[in-house]
Amino acid sequence: MLLNVRLSEFDSDLKGLGNVFDSFNEKCQSSEQLTKNVRDQTIRLENQVKNVQEVFSKYKSEKEKELMEVAERNDEMAEQLTDLRCRSIKYHLVFSGIYERDREDTESVIREFLDRQLDIGQHIELANVHRFGRKSNKGPRPVVVKFIFQKELDMVLKNAKKLRGKPYRINKQFPQEIEQARKSLYPKFKEFREKGDHVKLVRDILYVNGQPYDDVRSSTPQATRSHASYNSQETPNRRRNPKRGRMSSTHEGP
């Protein structure tokens, strides 16, 4: 009788233990399923992130390409603008160092200068003559002269050699962005000239013995420029990166 009771209790305990194992097994299976679901979801998220990265990379590449194209178009437009500005002042010369009088007739001042300093007594057709800049104590303002005929402008430049040793300068006018490059190149211009090389500044390009000095030109800031001296000449178009600015004046010396 006692044995049957013990067996009955043992059987009950086994059933209870079996229920515990069944419950544990169910929880394990549930945990494995949850882990699988998390892993699958992680893979999906990784794939989504990868797709987004690919789309973003493609979008970035396209935008960079578009920006480069826009930059190139801007450079071309800026170059064209500079060339147009150069052409618009092609017949301009800037006279510096001429004494400024109160309420002067600036055209008469220039004609007197041409006669006395350059020995040009003939009548020259002038379209416009004016001083530019604000009055100051630093000296007389430059005079901008627009010629009508190229041959008369060339004659003035040819006679400008008579100004050597005098406080006057005659310069061709260029946009200010070209002028800044000329200022940067002028020390090299003097250096090569002192060595006996044949040098010439043509717009914003330095020529040494007939060859463009590109190493110097590429290292100079393409920021500001304006007009060259009496012996400079215009050149074919060159790629540059100009910035707008008002007209100003530099010189190569007589």
Side-chain angles (χ1 to χ4, degrees), residues 1-52:
M1 187 72 177
L2 181 58
L3 180 59
N4 290 334
V5 171
R6 295 279 180 96
L7 288 173
S8 178
E9 291 176 355
F10 181 73
D11 184 58
S12 178
D13 291 340
L14 285 177
K15 288 181 179 180
L17 185 59
N19 291 334
V20 171
F21 279 116
D22 289 341
S23 177
F24 179 76
N25 186 46
E26 289 177 359
K27 289 182 180 180
C28 286
Q29 291 178 354
S30 177
S31 178
E32 289 178 358
Q33 184 62 40
L34 179 61
T35 301
K36 183 177 182 301
N37 293 339
V38 170
R39 184 168 57 250
D40 293 342
Q41 186 175 5
T42 301
I43 294 174
R44 286 196 298 271
L45 289 174
E46 289 177 348
N47 290 334
Q48 290 176 0
V49 170
K50 183 178 179 180
N51 291 336
V52 170

Side-chain angles (χ1 to χ4, degrees), residues 182 184-195 197-202 205-208 213 216 229 231 251-253:
R182 292 177 62 82
S184 300
L185 290 170
Y186 191 56
K188 284 293 181 182
F189 176 93
K190 294 193 296 184
E191 177 183 332
F192 283 108
R193 184 172 61 181
E194 290 172 356
K195 292 179 180 179
D197 292 307
H198 180 266
V199 290
K200 181 169 59 175
L201 265 175
V202 183
I205 306 171
L206 174 62
Y207 287 89
V208 181
Y213 193 64
V216 175
S229 74
N231 64 349
H251 64 273
E252 295 173 1

Side-chain angles (χ1 to χ4, degrees), residues 38-147:
V38 170
R39 184 168 57 250
D40 293 342
Q41 186 175 5
T42 301
I43 294 174
R44 286 196 298 271
L45 289 174
E46 289 177 348
N47 290 334
Q48 290 176 0
V49 170
K50 183 178 179 180
N51 291 336
V52 170
Q53 289 176 339
E54 290 177 352
V55 171
F56 177 76
S57 178
K58 182 179 179 181
Y59 174 81
K60 181 181 178 182
S61 177
E62 292 175 351
K63 288 303 176 182
E64 287 177 346
K65 182 179 179 181
E66 291 178 4
L67 289 175
M68 290 180 63
E69 291 175 351
V70 170
E72 290 178 357
R73 288 197 296 270
N74 287 341
D75 286 344
E76 291 174 358
M77 292 177 63
E79 180 182 354
Q80 292 172 3
L81 176 61
T82 298
D83 289 336
L84 288 173
R85 293 172 67 198
C86 286
R87 292 172 185 171
S88 69
I89 56 178
K90 178 180 179 181
Y91 295 102
H92 290 200
L93 292 181
V94 178
F95 293 70
S96 304
I98 300 177
Y99 180 75
E100 184 173 0
R101 307 161 186 166
D102 293 334
R103 300 181 180 178
E104 67 181 10
D105 180 347
T106 310
E107 181 175 338
S108 297
V109 171
I110 288 297
R111 292 191 181 281
E112 180 181 349
F113 179 86
L114 295 176
D115 183 23
R116 294 187 177 184
Q117 300 297 334
L118 302 183
D119 299 325
I120 299 177
Q122 71 182 69
H123 180 78
I124 292 181
E125 296 292 337
L126 304 177
N128 186 28
V129 180
H130 69 278
R131 292 188 185 267
F132 72 88
R134 295 182 179 180
K135 286 187 177 181
S136 68
N137 297 326
K138 296 181 179 180
R141 293 174 295 168
V143 180
V144 179
V145 179
K146 181 178 181 180
F147 291 77

